[in-house]
Amino acid sequence: MGKNLTMLQAITEALDQMLGHDDRVMILGEDIGVNGGVFRSTEGLYEKYGKDRVVDTPLAESGIIGSAIGLALNGMLPIVEIQFLAFIYPGFEQLVSHAARMRYRTRGQFGVPLVIRTPYGAGIRGPELHSESVETFFAHTPGLKVVAPSNPYDAKGLLISALEDPDPVIFLEPTKLYRAFKEEVPDEMYRIPIGQAKVVQEGSDLTIFAWGAMLREALNAAKKIEAEKGWQCEVVDLRTLYPLDRDTIVQSIKKTGRALIVHEAHKTAGLGAEIISIINDEALIYLKAPIKRVTGFDVPVPPFTIEDHYLPTVDRVKQGIVETISF
Amino acid sequence: MEKTGNPIMKAHSGGTEPEMFRVLTPEGEIIETIDGKIDKSLMLKMYESMLLLRTFDRKSINLQRQGRIGTYAPFEGQEASQVGSALALSAGDWMFPTYRDHGAAIIHGQELYRVFLYWMAHFDGSICPEGKRIMPPSVPIATQMVHAVGTAWASKLKGEQNVSIAYFGDGATSEGDFHEALNFAGVYKTPTIFFCQNNGYAISVPFEKQSASKTISQRAAAYDIHGVRVDGNDIFAVWLTVKEAVERALKGEGPTLIEAITFRYGAHTTADNPNIYRDQDEISTFWRENRDPITRLRKYLNKEGHWNEEQEELVIKQFNELIDAHLQRAEGHPKSDPLEMFNHVYAKESWHLKEQKQELNQILRKGGKK
Ligand SMILES: Cc1ncc(C[n+]2csc(CCOP(=O)(O)OP(=O)(O)O)c2C)c(N)n1
């Protein structure tokens, strides 16, 4: 009924099942065919489905995303893999000006059901521009949906939902978690709704909001704090970054009265600011302390020799919890 | 100020012009065999379509001056390119026009009143008739070219007998998407037609400053696709070239890059003043006298006894009435409801848009009470 899979394996399984399930599904990207992707997330699919379904494209992000838009307009269901998030920039315009706007521009006449998958985030000892976390660019774009799973189970269920979504979805895969741990993943094609956050751990003293790779730092910090001080943190995995699940955010604040946001993206105009605004609008009177953010710094992600100092650490998160609770 | 001194197409190539395919000379002589491929009724359709578009275009400029439509991009001078290419397509073919190609869109089936709606900034101006695949005008340069590769690619995968045509200008050939589109189309042999109207200028920048290439069509060689340079003011040549490209595409022979040499007599848009960057009178007069697409076909049709002054007057009168009727329909179109801005962002409205819509709705209602 299920298997223990890494996030990568769960993603491969989802892709495999979707290709098998619907002839219109195609995967496009650089090195995803014969090579099975630089992280091997499409391993075996080229052999199984052939060169027209699992397509090794030219090295051109605008061409890939732009032609995938055309494929989607004309009835296919393309899944694009961008090799690393920061390499999406040559295709950024296709994504924000066209994929995201086609439905709007044509008043619903033509939609672009397209999924863009890409590894993102630091902690993999990558070269320059392999570790960025710029989800805000996409969460600022009406017409796009932004999804970021934090575990194998969610990754499969969210990816299947993303493909079935009539609108373009950018699917951010935390590179650091690709092979970090295994988890039981059901065999069948199950779905996790886009737009719903998940309370991963219940608590009453403070809520930590996180997503992607930072979820593990949040959970670890919460565990340590509980052991050290007896404080119970609620941990919420946002899973969908745009549109956000406001209800879950607000409910949790009503319960705990304190919030800490942990993200590895740069602080300024990071998604944390948006979450604070939502709480401000909807739950200000429940707050017992100012909301804190523990984030990446407002600098380009530094070389890997010092990237650990850029990333929020369990200690920084713990410090944030202490400052918020003892405010 | 540096203007283009030599009006004879210095803007296109910076020197003597490489050969281009031409069938009908400016004097109205046929110099290539057309093998009965273009019969009288098609010739008349071509001619009348060009007249319709010219009437429409001039009218639109006046409407802009009267404040009845917004900024407008005229195409007078480019009628043979737009009509000739569009008439070579089948009804189900995908068309990706730019802001200057509403002429082609109209000939491919877009309704005139919708085009007016577009320039009046109505949301509904981008909708094409049911079953047609005329995409909204592309505003960012060259971006639509890759979409046309994608739709054509899907047609090929699905085994559908359709081509996709992308329209663009000479300036677009400097953009990365031009190259990416040609490259993808070459690799996947997609049934895509890349139709460049080289009107010599990208707003103010002449082609000689745009690129060191002598021609645009020569770029096809780099992608190993078919490339043709054609007299864009010769509707027979344009039609035959696009027709051939369609046939090649449907036979699985892949994409074609067509460079149609033409000229826009007027401004880039109604907000632009071409006198700043070119000898407007001299160069426009030269083109009107020596290369105009409508005049040359009329000369031929007159000579053959297919057309006369009375017919001309009559159809122009009919076109004016037709255009007026569409204008009326457009002007009678309900005003855009501000709340429309929230529709169709997503297939299903999400909570934040629902609430923002409500917020605007409340503001609007309060405003009404004042
Ligand atoms: C990506 C992009 N950059 C700049 C512009 C501004 N712009 C609008 S039209 C134009 C010139 C286009 O020239 P060309 O491709 O030759 O087409 P033409 O207008 O002559 O038909 C420019 C620079 C734009 N629309 N899109």
Side-chain angles (χ1 to χ4, degrees):
Chain A
M1 283 302 284
K3 290 183 278 308
N4 254 348
L5 300 181
T6 61
M7 183 183 284
L8 257 179
Q9 291 166 328
I11 287 168
T12 310
E13 183 168 291
L15 294 171
D16 188 356
Q17 290 179 346
M18 292 187 288
L19 283 161
H21 178 73
D22 190 333
D23 284 348
R24 298 171 301 166
V25 176
M26 292 170 72
I27 308 185
L28 299 93
E30 294 154 14
D31 307 295
I32 62 140
V34 179
N35 189 41
V38 291
F39 288 101
R40 324 224 67 77
S41 65
T42 51
E43 194 159 38
L45 302 179
Y46 178 84
E47 290 73 16
K48 191 162 170 189
Y49 296 99
K51 67 170 177 39
D52 284 344
R53 309 270 324 269
V54 181
V55 186
D56 268 328
T57 63
L59 207 174
E61 288 72 16
S62 190
I64 298 171
I65 298 175
S67 57
I69 289 170
L71 285 162
L73 286 171
N74 197 3
M76 307 303 285
L77 293 174
I79 305 175
V80 162
E81 177 174 313
I82 296 294
Q83 211 154 62
F84 287 89
L85 178 59
F87 304 137
I88 206 168
Y89 302 145
F92 188 67
E93 157 158 68
Q94 287 295 342
L95 195 52
V96 303
S97 303
H98 299 291
R101 297 176 75 108
M102 200 59 87
R103 179 182 300 288
Y104 194 67
R105 198 180 272 146
T106 62
R107 308 320 283 158
Q109 223 177 355
F110 293 94
V112 179
L114 166 69
V115 179
I116 307 215
R117 299 175 39 234
T118 177
Y120 88 109
I124 52 152
R125 303 284 178 262
E128 193 186 7
L129 288 164
H130 285 66
S131 306
E132 321 304 293
S133 180
V134 288
E135 52 267 36
T136 289
F137 290 161
F138 309 102
H140 195 60
T141 304
L144 290 184
K145 293 182 180 176
V146 186
V147 172
S150 70
N151 59 71
Y153 177 84
D154 282 359
K156 180 175 172 184
L158 283 166
L159 186 53
I160 291 170
S161 295
L163 188 70
E164 290 174 352
D165 198 288
D167 292 310
V169 178
I170 172 153
F171 196 82
L172 302 171
E173 299 169 2
T175 321
K176 196 181 173 186
L177 301 187
Y178 266 159
R179 297 190 177 90
F181 60 99
K182 288 192 174 185
E183 190 175 73
E184 165 116 353
V185 173
D187 292 331
E188 70 266 19
M189 281 181 76
Y190 60 95
R191 282 118 189 122
I192 294 188
I194 290 177
Q196 283 184 17
K198 185 178 178 194
V199 179
V200 177
Q201 175 178 302
E202 302 255 1
S204 51
D205 295 314
L206 169 140
T207 308
I208 309 178
F209 296 103
W211 56 92
M214 285 302 111
L215 197 81
R216 299 232 295 167
E217 313 303 319
L219 282 169
N220 285 339
K223 211 176 286 163
K224 287 201 169 152
I225 281 284
E226 187 172 2
E228 287 169 23
K229 310 229 180 214
W231 295 335
Q232 300 201 317
C233 293
E234 179 144 307
V235 179
V236 175
D237 180 358
L238 289 174
R239 301 198 294 197
T240 295
L241 307 184
Y242 186 62
L244 282 166
D245 179 356
R246 178 183 55 183
D247 292 347
T248 302
I249 295 171
V250 171
Q251 261 161 34
S252 185
I253 294 303
K254 286 184 177 171
K255 184 165 141 195
T256 65
R258 296 184 187 90
L260 179 73
I261 298 151
V262 184
H263 64 61
E264 62 173 281
H266 315 297
K267 187 170 203 166
T268 299
L271 221 57
E274 187 58 40
I275 297 164
I276 293 173
S277 284
I278 286 179
I279 297 170
N280 236 353
D281 286 345
E282 305 290 329
L284 183 69
I285 53 167
Y286 295 89
L287 284 181
K288 298 174 196 150
I291 303 165
K292 250 196 120 51
R293 285 176 285 175
V294 175
T295 70
F297 299 112
D298 287 337
V299 300
V301 179
F304 67 73
T305 44
I306 55 169
E307 79 180 326
D308 288 346
H309 299 277
Y310 167 86
L311 282 172
T313 54
V314 170
D315 281 345
R316 276 176 67 198
V317 178
K318 268 174 60 189
Q319 175 72 16
I321 298 171
V322 171
E323 282 175 19
T324 306
I325 294 190
S326 53
F327 170 74
Chain B
M1 204 157 312
E2 188 191 351
K3 292 188 194 178
T4 311
N6 174 7
I8 308 172
M9 270 345 339
K10 200 173 169 196
H12 280 131
S13 58
T16 47
E17 271 191 69
E19 284 220 2
M20 56 187 178
F21 177 54
R22 175 181 279 174
V23 174
L24 184 64
T25 68
E27 295 72 39
E29 305 290 339
I30 287 195
I31 53 169
E32 292 274 342
T33 162
I34 53 175
D35 282 348
K37 283 183 198 148
I38 304 177
D39 62 13
K40 182 184 159 193
S41 82
L42 178 56
M43 287 178 188
L44 290 178
K45 189 168 186 182
M46 288 172 169
Y47 184 71
E48 291 185 11
S49 301
M50 288 197 291
L51 269 190
L52 170 70
L53 292 190
R54 187 160 289 186
T55 314
F56 174 85
D57 192 62
R58 289 183 175 176
K59 179 116 201 164
S60 299
I61 293 172
N62 284 331
L63 291 170
Q64 191 279 331
R65 294 204 179 113
Q66 295 162 24
R68 289 160 78 184
I69 67 174
T71 302
Y72 173 80
F75 56 74
E76 180 166 343
Q78 303 186 198
E79 291 91 344
S81 290
Q82 297 201 18
V83 174
S85 56
L87 282 181
L89 305 174
S90 305
D93 291 341
W94 290 80
M95 178 180 275
F96 291 84
T98 76
Y99 50 81
R100 202 185 301 291
D101 304 310
H102 33 293
I106 289 167
I107 301 307
H108 197 46
Q110 181 56 291
E111 293 165 285
L112 277 171
Y113 84 95
R114 292 259 183 217
V115 178
F116 279 133
L117 288 179
Y118 178 82
W119 294 105
M120 289 171 176
H122 278 281
F123 276 124
D124 291 347
S126 291
I127 295 172
C128 72
E130 193 67 34
K132 286 268 153 70
R133 285 118 160 219
I134 303 168
M135 303 311 288
S138 185
V139 171
I141 301 301
T143 53
Q144 78 284 11
M145 297 182 66
V146 274
H147 305 162
V149 172
T151 52
W153 189 358
S155 295
K156 183 178 171 181
L157 290 170
K158 295 195 291 181
E160 285 171 359
Q161 288 290 296
N162 281 123
V163 304
S164 299
I165 187 166
Y167 288 83
F168 53 99
D170 40 298
T173 67
S174 302
E175 285 279 1
D177 275 356
F178 167 85
H179 302 277
E180 297 195 20
L182 262 58
N183 190 42
F184 270 64
V187 169
Y188 301 113
K189 274 193 179 296
T190 62
T192 312
I193 298 169
F194 299 105
F195 190 80
C196 178
Q197 289 164 84
N198 182 350
N199 64 16
Y201 291 87
I203 307 187
S204 66
V205 179
F207 187 65
E208 63 192 342
K209 283 192 190 172
Q210 192 69 241
S211 166
S213 309
K214 274 269 178 289
T215 72
I216 289 163
S217 58
Q218 77 188 53
R219 310 258 187 98
Y223 304 97
D224 203 18
I225 68 177
H226 198 61
V228 191
R229 195 163 202 257
V230 54
D231 182 340
N233 283 9
D234 169 356
I235 193 161
F236 291 171
V238 171
W239 186 87
L240 285 166
T241 302
V242 176
K243 201 77 188 162
E244 191 193 326
V246 170
E247 281 158 16
R248 289 173 47 83
L250 296 182
K251 270 192 281 178
E253 290 171 17
T256 303
L257 169 63
I258 299 168
E259 175 184 12
I261 303 301
T262 183
F263 186 70
R264 65 167 155 83
Y265 295 138
H268 170 73
T269 66
T270 49
D272 160 63
N273 171 14
N275 288 308
I276 296 171
Y277 52 84
R278 67 188 189 196
D279 291 319
Q280 179 60 14
D281 287 344
E282 195 185 350
I283 195 165
S284 288
T285 308
F286 172 83
W287 275 84
R288 280 189 194 282
E289 286 173 358
N290 296 286
R291 305 201 177 180
D292 188 78
I294 297 185
T295 310
R296 85 167 70 172
L297 184 52
R298 183 167 51 234
K299 281 183 186 164
Y300 174 75
L301 292 176
N302 283 342
K303 257 190 291 199
E304 296 291 308
H306 294 335
W307 195 253
N308 59 43
E309 276 305 309
E310 295 87 81
Q311 279 169 296
E312 177 108 356
E313 270 174 38
L314 184 69
V315 297
I316 290 188
K317 188 169 163 284
Q318 285 168 350
F319 287 157
N320 272 310
E321 286 165 9
L322 178 79
I323 291 165
D324 283 343
H326 278 276
L327 178 62
Q328 253 182 28
R329 181 164 180 197
E331 289 190 327
H333 195 79
K335 265 197 188 167
S336 290
D337 177 351
L339 297 178
E340 264 187 78
M341 78 171 78
F342 294 99
N343 300 344
H344 306 297
V345 179
Y346 296 98
K348 206 166 143 256
E349 202 168 48
S350 88
W351 64 269
H352 66 303
L353 294 178
K354 229 176 255 166
E355 288 184 6
Q356 290 169 23
K357 188 176 189 172
Q358 259 164 25
E359 183 187 333
L360 179 60
N361 194 22
Q362 264 162 18
I363 292 169
L364 292 171
R365 281 210 230 124
K366 268 191 218 143
K369 273 185 207 147
K370 243 192 334 196

